[in-house]
Amino acid sequence: MRYGLISDIHGNLEALEAVLSEIDKLRVDQILCLGDVIGYGPNPTECVKIVRERTAVCLVGNHDEASLGRVDLEFFNYMAKEAIEWTTSRLASEAIEFLRTRPYTHEFEDYVIVHATPEDPRRWNYILSLDDAGQSFEAFDQQVCFIGHSHTPWVIDLDPDDHMRLRHDYPIKLQEQHRYLINVGSVGQPRDRNPAAAFAILDSHKREYNLFRVPYNVVKTQMKIRAAGLPEFLADRLSVGQ
Ligand code: ZN
């Protein structure tokens, strides 16, 4: 099976469309979304509609949950908070219903997906160090756990001697005795200083993982963010990928 993995779309329609057209060219059997379809960007309802039609599974993320009123907004910085309030006031009722019923994790073959961390899928912690990753490896039984949330793509490779290695040398062959924690990056708001939208493909037959970047019409998204009256920084950061 070939899986397309997308995460952290954040209401960015131009980035989502660019990613999906690239995924279609690369031919996958299923698209899985790791959460945060909305928040920050100017097209939340449109993005939810497309994700709903195009993905086999979509998880709930912290911004999705905040827009449903299930997370205290005090956990967010003022820009994220303002964007969440803006999103909540505009989200169509079908979109709310869809997001409200999304799961926190999903298991398939020898893999698991979760938005933030496998040890605590309902809390929105970040994996920021190899120490954090060590804890996460203990929390899942599958060979690979795929995550999103921090908007920075990487692969942590755990060898049979329990040594962890941070990798970016795509494509990566998944070796039998190894386990992996993989961040698939962000479609709609990359933060690794590369403004191109990120997505990944997992080929479970070839046992291969690959990360892709697609340029999209950033200027168009920025114009919509400004026209919506959302915080200026949310537009600016898209051109630098931060
Ligand atoms: Zn996010």
Side-chain angles (χ1 to χ4, degrees), residues 100-173:
R100 212 177 55 75
T101 50
R102 293 310 91 205
Y104 288 89
T105 63
H106 171 69
E107 296 170 23
F108 58 105
E109 300 190 39
D110 198 15
Y111 312 107
V112 59
I113 56 174
V114 58
H115 184 68
T117 70
E119 61 268 37
D120 218 341
R122 284 162 197 263
R123 294 180 68 142
W124 309 105
N125 299 324
Y126 289 90
I127 296 171
L128 298 171
S129 66
L130 291 180
D131 268 356
D132 296 343
Q135 277 191 12
S136 294
F137 274 113
E138 287 171 23
F140 65 96
D141 302 322
Q142 293 83 357
Q143 189 194 13
V144 188
C145 174
F146 297 95
I147 64 166
H149 196 40
S150 70
H151 302 202
T152 50
W154 41 251
V155 170
I156 297 172
D157 182 335
L158 177 70
D159 73 17
D161 298 323
D162 267 349
H163 294 125
M164 280 185 271
R165 184 159 67 102
L166 184 64
R167 298 179 60 179
H168 297 282
D169 54 328
Y170 310 103
I172 290 177
K173 271 271 177 225

Side-chain angles (χ1 to χ4, degrees), residues 7-10 35-36 38 40 62-63 115 126 148-151 186 189 191:
S7 189
D8 296 275
I9 297 153
H10 287 294
D36 274 1
I38 62 173
Y40 295 129
N62 54 320
H63 285 253
H115 184 68
Y126 289 90
H149 196 40
S150 70
H151 302 202
S186 167
Q189 196 195 77
R191 293 180 194 158

Side-chain angles (χ1 to χ4, degrees), residues 39-40 63 66-67 73-74 78-91 230:
Y40 295 129
H63 285 253
S67 302
L73 287 187
E74 299 315 310
Y78 79 94
M79 282 174 304
K81 202 168 134 182
E82 215 174 301
I84 288 163
E85 282 164 350
W86 182 92
T87 301
T88 305
S89 70
R90 277 157 185 84
L91 212 51
L230 284 159

